[in-house]
Amino acid sequence: MFLYHYYDASMKPFQNLSDVSIEEAKKILKDIALKKPGTQCAKRADEYMELRHYYEEILRCEFMKKGGNIRRKSPHYMVVEHSPWLASWFENSAFIKIDLDEFDKSTLSFTYGDSHPTFSKRVNDGKEYRKKLYTYDEILAIIAKYGYPQDWNNDGKYGPERYVEAHIWSDDVIKRYM
């Protein structure tokens, strides 16, 4: 099983907006919107960073409840297996593919779908994986039951889940790819 990180090849990988202040992150997003208006990142709502911090706090709290090993304030984001939709987000799309076995699994959490709609109050369709964060072993069971969202919902026709999101709560492996 592999984790993928998608990014614009004209920039460095794993540049985490949550590692800078909200004001600085908003400046970065505004710059992207000016320079690359056709990209997905250029279409973020004005309150994106506030929402991101809100959802990251939920992820952190839920992972702590499960005994997760948290070594950084906010996670690095990757997805489980290739996501054609995410690959289309960037003008100069590139990706880093890392074998999941390189990671200390106690530093990984997962959501079945993007964490924002997973924990959003607006998404209430009753699916069992809504409002839930998973450990490595738990996500394996969910994937076995439902498959990879990118295989059955890459276009988003059946809901907001288009991939399995991985949250990396450590820099140990990531720093080798920066």
Side-chain angles (χ1 to χ4, degrees), residues 15-32 48-50 53:
Q15 300 301 298
N16 194 325
L17 287 170
S18 294
D19 287 345
V20 298
S21 70
I22 287 179
E23 295 76 23
E24 181 64 23
K26 285 184 174 191
K27 287 178 189 173
I28 292 167
L29 289 171
K30 190 173 190 173
D31 189 53
I32 291 169
Y48 171 75
M49 286 308 301
E50 289 84 0
H53 283 253

Side-chain angles (χ1 to χ4, degrees):
M1 186 177 289
F2 291 93
L3 298 184
Y4 284 73
H5 172 71
Y6 297 91
Y7 64 102
D8 190 301
S10 66
M11 302 172 74
K12 294 179 183 177
F14 294 107
Q15 300 301 298
N16 194 325
L17 287 170
S18 294
D19 287 345
V20 298
S21 70
I22 287 179
E23 295 76 23
E24 181 64 23
K26 285 184 174 191
K27 287 178 189 173
I28 292 167
L29 289 171
K30 190 173 190 173
D31 189 53
I32 291 169
L34 289 171
K35 292 179 180 174
K36 299 176 184 241
T39 63
Q40 187 72 25
C41 294
K43 299 172 186 168
R44 301 228 189 255
D46 289 338
E47 67 276 0
Y48 171 75
M49 286 308 301
E50 289 84 0
L51 288 170
R52 180 171 169 147
H53 283 253
Y54 170 77
Y55 291 121
E56 286 177 346
E57 181 62 23
I58 292 172
L59 296 174
R60 188 179 312 100
C61 289
E62 292 300 310
F63 198 40
M64 284 174 43
K65 288 179 191 175
K66 291 180 177 270
N69 185 359
I70 299 173
R71 298 184 193 160
R72 51 179 285 119
K73 183 180 177 189
S74 59
H76 289 290
Y77 294 92
M78 297 184 79
V79 296
V80 180
E81 299 302 342
H82 173 61
S83 168
W85 183 64
L86 283 179
S88 74
W89 275 31
F90 306 97
E91 282 181 359
N92 303 304
S93 189
F95 65 86
I96 292 175
K97 176 181 172 182
I98 306 173
D99 191 312
L100 198 137
D101 288 334
E102 287 191 44
F103 295 92
D104 171 352
K105 293 183 183 58
S106 75
T107 64
L108 302 178
S109 64
F110 303 85
T111 49
Y112 193 80
D114 188 283
S115 54
H116 290 217
T118 293
F119 287 100
S120 173
K121 294 173 185 167
R122 289 183 250 175
V123 180
N124 294 302
D125 55 15
K127 293 180 179 175
E128 78 168 287
Y129 44 79
R130 296 283 182 249
K131 317 287 189 261
K132 291 186 182 168
L133 177 125
Y134 298 99
T135 63
Y136 172 70
D137 289 332
E138 291 170 335
I139 199 63
L140 291 179
I142 294 296
I143 292 169
K145 186 172 184 177
Y146 295 104
Y148 292 106
Q150 56 265 46
D151 291 342
W152 58 267
N153 195 39
N154 187 57
D155 61 3
K157 181 179 177 181
Y158 301 108
E161 57 277 20
R162 294 183 183 211
Y163 48 80
V164 175
E165 186 176 85
H167 320 112
I168 296 49
W169 294 95
S170 169
D171 291 322
D172 292 348
V173 174
I174 300 300
K175 66 185 173 190
R176 293 191 297 232
Y177 294 88
M178 296 177 100

